[in-house]
Amino acid sequence: MLQSLNFKHLYYFWVIAREGSLARAAQLLNLAPQTLSSQLTALESSLDSLLFRRENRRLVLTDLGQMVYRYADDMFRIADELKTVLDTRPDERALGLTVGVAASIHKLIAYQLLEPALTLTRPVRLSCRSGRPSQLLQDLKAGQLDVVLTDREPDAGMDDHCYVHPLGQTSITLFATPDLAANLQTGFPHSLQGQAFLANAVKAPYVRQLMQWFDEQGIRLDIRAEIDDSALIKVFGHQGYGVFAAPTVIADEVCRQYQVAAVGEVAEVQDQLYAVSRSRRNSHPAVAAICGQSLAS
């Protein structure tokens, strides 16, 4: 079927359907209406079906015509995009960058880690995918991702062609509404005894460390909610439902965006961040920018 499909005829059909008129399409294509009509007839003959029917001197797509138009529309719009890209100077074309981000990484930190790639002189077309680190690393090895951002060091048995780039670490800070934070700052951390706490349901390494640290301090919290989305935890915290934890490196932004205040820092608990790529020396400029940075603490 593909070998017998005349793409020039298909393109003419697409223009006619898009313009809604054979006369307007002929004018746009700089063809005589009779010539365009014969090209359309040839396409319909090859398909052994009508693509249009006439209603009150109007061309109306048949059911088959509507289906063919949807496919043709996708094809020729993508072709137009490709032509635009090919007409652009190579050094001005947008770099495609597909990044896997572990779901347990806070969204504000993910943005900070991606920012060096977005500030290159050459434009970057970014695609982000969130998920479990193990699955993201499999996608990286399969060539579906350019780089993975994760908060845990990959297993030692990981493919030899994947390379781990430590990006730095940050302590953890606890936050609450300004009034509650002011009350809890005195006597911290034991002031947290019995306090309502919003726990991160994603088993990130720093979450386990933090809960262990609470146990070591003899602090028993009132777990009010377990939430697997770091942004949603902050929304609940902003509404006064409890104390929550976030990496210290984004403390100022957390306070600004969610109108909360810092209760205190837990220096003993560290959130370590890594970038994983398929090459030790990355030829992709955006990947190199991500892997070569150091997390601002």
Side-chain angles (χ1 to χ4, degrees):
M1 177 63 181
L2 186 60
Q3 293 177 342
S4 64
L5 184 61
N6 188 310
F7 285 95
K8 182 175 72 172
H9 293 169
L10 183 64
Y11 178 74
Y12 290 162
F13 157 76
W14 175 65
V15 176
I16 295 169
R18 187 188 63 190
E19 296 301 314
S21 163
L22 193 145
R24 285 199 297 270
Q27 185 177 18
L28 187 66
L29 294 168
N30 197 27
L31 293 172
Q34 298 83 352
T35 301
L36 188 56
S37 179
S38 66
Q39 301 284 342
L40 175 61
T41 300
L43 176 62
E44 290 179 324
S45 297
S46 71
L47 298 175
D48 197 24
S49 295
L50 292 177
L51 297 171
F52 292 100
R53 64 176 182 274
R54 288 194 175 273
E55 290 185 3
N56 299 325
R57 297 185 178 180
R58 293 189 308 114
L59 287 177
V60 178
L61 287 166
T62 63
D63 289 343
L64 176 64
Q66 292 178 19
M67 182 190 71
V68 173
Y69 177 74
R70 287 195 296 270
Y71 280 99
D73 192 52
D74 287 341
M75 290 171 54
F76 292 120
R77 288 187 185 279
I78 291 173
D80 283 344
E81 292 177 9
L82 175 60
K83 184 178 184 304
T84 299
V85 170
L86 295 177
D87 287 344
T88 304
R89 286 174 40 189
D91 59 341
E92 294 178 351
R93 292 174 190 163
L95 286 167
L97 175 64
T98 306
V99 182
V101 181
S104 49
I105 292 181
H106 284 252
K107 306 302 184 292
L108 292 172
I109 282 190
Y111 173 78
Q112 182 173 322
L113 295 177
L114 292 171
E115 193 173 18
L118 302 178
T119 55
L120 296 174
T121 55
R122 186 170 172 182
V124 172
R125 187 180 66 256
L126 175 65
S127 175
C128 282
R129 185 186 308 170
S130 179
R132 294 181 292 106
S134 58
Q135 182 58 57
L136 294 176
L137 291 172
Q138 290 298 323
D139 293 343
L140 175 71
K141 289 188 284 187
Q144 299 174 18
L145 298 171
D146 295 311
V147 64
V148 169
L149 301 178
T150 179
D151 54 5
R152 62 206 73 191
E153 191 165 9
D155 296 335
M158 189 181 64
D159 192 288
D160 291 339
H161 296 294
C162 289
Y163 296 91
V164 180
H165 310 266
L167 301 180
Q169 59 188 22
T170 174
S171 60
I172 299 300
T173 292
L174 301 175
F175 301 86
T177 57
D179 289 345
L180 179 57
N183 291 333
L184 296 176
Q185 286 165 1
T186 302
F188 177 83
H190 297 287
S191 58
L192 297 172
Q193 186 72 34
Q195 281 296 318
F197 187 73
L198 304 171
N200 194 325
V202 176
K203 302 306 179 185
Y206 88 83
V207 173
R208 293 193 295 270
Q209 293 178 37
L210 182 61
M211 302 313 291
Q212 182 179 349
W213 180 82
F214 283 134
D215 285 341
E216 292 171 353
Q217 303 302 312
I219 298 171
R220 298 293 178 265
L221 300 169
D222 178 10
I223 306 295
R224 290 289 177 87
E226 289 186 293
I227 303 171
D228 67 356
D229 185 279
S230 60
L232 187 57
I233 287 177
K234 298 177 183 68
V235 172
F236 273 79
H238 164 71
Q239 295 297 334
Y241 283 94
V243 176
F244 66 93
T248 303
V249 70
I250 56 172
D252 290 344
E253 192 64 20
V254 169
C255 292
R256 185 188 69 81
Q257 283 196 25
Y258 297 94
Q259 299 175 352
V260 294
V263 176
E265 180 185 355
V266 183
E268 295 88 341
V269 176
Q270 295 286 319
D271 188 20
Q272 175 72 58
L273 282 305
Y274 305 90
V276 185
S277 68
R278 293 192 301 274
S279 175
R280 188 183 302 277
R281 295 182 178 179
N282 295 291
S283 58
H284 193 306
V287 174
I290 290 172
C291 295
Q293 69 179 304
S294 179
L295 185 67
S297 57

